Each structure stands twice: as C-alpha cells, then as structure tokens.
C-alpha cells in the first residue's frame, strides 16, 4: 500500500477479510467470492478507492474459483513481480491506491490470452444502470 496513513484509514473502512487480501497480499478461498458467478453488465471497481478496474464485458468463467477477466478496463492496473510462496507470479495492483487485487496469468482466452485472477472482496460491482 501507498503509506501507513492510508492503511490506517482503510482498516476502518474494510472488513478484516478485505484488509487481509487488499493490504496484506492475501487470497480469498476459491469458490467463495461474492462476484464469482456475477453475470450482470457493469463495472468492477476497486473496493478501497472506487477506481474502475474491469468491465463485465471481459469477465469469463476460468474454472479457477476466482473472478477472471481477459483484459483490464483501462490503464488503472499496475503489475509487479511477486516471488512470494516460492513462485514467480505477476501481482495485479490498483494503480491509484496500491491495493492488492490478484494475479495475472498467461492462460486466458482470446483475444488477449491473459487471465486477470482477482479476489472478489478487492472489488465492488457497479451495475450499468447505477453507473
Ligand atoms: Fe484502488
């Protein structure tokens, strides 16, 4: 996260599970997330700062147990190498606030071949008619 003050503010705003995922690079259990089966049209935004992250247009069922997208909605995603847990992965972060969102893999569908594997609790879903 950006700095300690931001983290203190977030701690009051987020659930303990959200804090563990977003601020401590945690991962929610597969097949438990709120948005896994969401099929509505709209935008997934950062749970911490509200920045638009992923469109429902790019959401697909990867079978992984986490909401999956084959592209990001704009340029609001930052990627960072993550070598924790003995693996080399690409961490997906909210560019605006630094929240941990999930990881990026190269086994996604066309046209990008990318799979943004994102924790439900790191996002809020805004249906199109509420945007
Ligand atoms: Fe954010």
């Amino acid at each position: 996260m950006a700095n300690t003050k931001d983290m203190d503010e977030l701690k009051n705003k987020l659930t303990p599970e959200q804090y563990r995922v977003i601020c401590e690079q945690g991962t929610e259990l597969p097949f438990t997330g709120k948005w896994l089966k969401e099929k509505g049209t709209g935008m997934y935004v950062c749970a911490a700062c509200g920045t638009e992250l992923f469109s429902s247009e790019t959401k697909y069922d990867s079978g992984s147990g986490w909401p999956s997208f084959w592209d990001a909605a704009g340029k609001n995603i930052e990627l960072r190498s993550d070598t924790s847990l003995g693996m080399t992965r690409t961490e997906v972060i909210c560019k605006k606030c630094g929240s941990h969102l999930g990881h990026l893999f190269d086994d996604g569908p066309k046209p990008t071949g990318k799979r943004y594997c994102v924790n439900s609790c790191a996002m809020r879903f805004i249906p199109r008619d509420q945007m």
Side-chain angles (χ1 to χ4, degrees):
M1 297 296 293
N3 62 53
T4 311
K5 180 171 163 286
D6 289 349
M7 290 186 70
D8 282 346
E9 281 179 15
L10 271 176
K11 204 156 199 169
N12 297 322
K13 187 177 155 187
L14 303 175
T15 67
E17 169 71 351
Q18 283 182 311
Y19 189 85
R20 186 183 72 81
V21 169
I22 292 170
C23 302
E24 299 178 340
Q25 284 74 39
T27 299
E28 67 192 6
L29 290 172
F31 301 102
T32 63
K34 187 175 183 182
W35 309 126
L36 178 62
K37 296 194 183 300
E38 176 62 49
K39 298 241 195 290
T41 301
M43 187 62 71
Y44 293 83
V45 305
C46 177
C49 78
T51 293
E52 293 189 355
L53 301 173
F54 300 100
S55 165
S56 61
E57 309 288 321
T58 62
K59 190 173 188 285
Y60 73 103
D61 182 5
S62 67
S64 68
W66 290 280
S68 300
F69 304 86
W70 49 261
D71 202 2
K75 302 200 183 305
N76 300 326
I77 296 288
E78 187 176 321
L79 301 175
R80 190 157 61 192
S81 179
D82 172 10
T83 55
S84 66
L85 306 178
M87 296 179 274
T88 300
R89 295 178 292 172
T90 301
E91 183 184 6
V92 178
I93 302 159
C94 172
K95 190 179 263 183
K96 186 172 178 199
C97 77
S99 284
H100 172 79
L101 303 171
H103 289 90
L104 175 62
F105 301 95
D106 289 321
D107 57 9
K110 291 178 179 176
T112 61
K114 300 291 186 186
R115 171 168 60 100
Y116 289 84
C117 184
V118 189
N119 292 285
S120 284
C121 73
M123 302 184 290
R124 282 185 291 119
F125 175 61
I126 315 289
R128 178 173 279 168
D129 60 7
Q130 293 172 31
M131 285 167 67

